[in-house]
Amino acid sequence: MNHTEFSAKSNTIASQYQIKYEAFFEQARKQLNCPHCQNVVGFKIHGSYSRHLYINQFIRIVIRVIRIMCTCRRTFVILPPEIIPFKRYVLNCILDIIKQLRTHTTYHIEQQTDITISLINYWHLQYRQWHRTLFETHGLWVQQASTEIAISYNNLRPVRRPMQIISAWTQPFHALFKNHIV
Ligand SMILES: [Zn+2]
């Protein structure tokens, strides 16, 4: 694929992703509760911003995501299951790498995906530090789709998302539901 074909493909993926995001937003807004105060009514759209997303090492897109303000005056962004807070790579890509680490060396994965060994090791460390116990205790790997994993994870650990960096203070995120379009 030459460069022009490649950017045309990225643009197509970006507009498909944007359409999916907006459908998700329309569904999610009907079921929202504020991750700060648990309020369920009176939300207002409080702007939007550009969000970079890496589908893989080669396909990188930008979509617009929506910020909401609650009556408690705090704001939060609406993120579908595939978008990990503060990470550019999508969940499906990162979980795929974590899964491959069981049977392949980091070097092999780097060769296959072009994602650097240091980034793979960084994700693996975060997984082991904050997420592995919950994944293994509740058998989350049994589910194939990353969106399903994200919904189950979020049900088990409200206001958190899989592969999110969890520090002493971590921004809370709204709940994910099975009947969202994902
Ligand atoms: Zn609130």
Side-chain angles (χ1 to χ4, degrees):
M1 214 187 300
N2 67 37
H3 182 74
T4 315
E5 283 167 345
F6 201 75
S7 58
K9 189 166 181 246
S10 294
N11 287 341
T12 309
I13 292 171
S15 42
Q16 286 166 347
Y17 222 100
Q18 186 70 46
I19 290 166
K20 269 172 67 178
Y21 176 79
E22 283 163 21
F24 173 80
F25 174 76
E26 286 308 319
Q27 285 296 308
R29 72 187 304 183
K30 296 173 192 155
Q31 301 168 81
L32 274 183
N33 54 347
C34 171
H36 304 286
C37 75
Q38 306 309 315
N39 173 33
V40 293
V41 289
F43 300 115
K44 289 197 174 102
I45 291 179
H46 190 68
S48 64
Y49 64 90
S50 297
R51 179 64 154 82
H52 289 265
L53 284 179
Y54 296 175
I55 309 301
N56 54 43
Q57 175 66 354
F58 308 105
I59 300 175
R60 299 176 171 199
I61 63 172
V62 179
I63 65 163
R64 289 203 75 75
V65 295
I66 296 166
R67 192 184 285 285
I68 290 283
M69 185 181 270
C70 175
T71 52
C72 73
R73 305 293 297 164
R74 280 173 287 191
T75 62
F76 57 98
V77 63
I78 302 295
L79 294 184
E82 268 303 297
I83 303 181
I84 304 169
F86 308 109
K87 276 192 170 49
R88 291 190 170 197
Y89 279 90
V90 295
L91 183 63
N92 183 55
C93 176
I94 298 183
L95 290 186
D96 187 51
I97 301 281
I98 306 281
K99 219 186 281 182
Q100 286 190 49
L101 282 164
R102 292 183 203 154
T103 47
H104 295 88
T105 62
T106 320
Y107 175 76
H108 175 87
I109 299 169
E110 184 195 43
Q111 295 298 305
Q112 295 297 312
T113 61
D114 245 21
I115 292 171
T116 62
I117 286 177
S118 64
L119 186 55
I120 296 169
N121 285 338
Y122 178 61
W123 291 339
H124 198 206
L125 177 68
Q126 290 173 357
Y127 172 71
R128 295 197 310 268
Q129 199 170 358
W130 292 306
H131 306 284
R132 182 169 65 188
T133 304
L134 190 137
F135 265 71
E136 292 184 353
T137 311
H138 296 275
L140 295 188
W141 284 115
V142 173
Q143 296 173 81
Q144 294 298 312
S146 54
T147 50
E148 291 293 312
I149 292 176
I151 291 166
S152 301
Y153 183 100
N154 182 247
N155 286 337
L156 293 161
R157 188 178 275 172
V159 309
R160 301 278 175 256
R161 299 289 175 89
M163 291 311 293
Q164 177 188 355
I165 292 175
I166 299 175
S167 54
W169 187 89
T170 306
Q171 177 149 353
F173 286 86
H174 63 91
L176 295 170
F177 300 100
K178 280 261 180 237
N179 50 343
H180 284 166
I181 299 167
V182 287

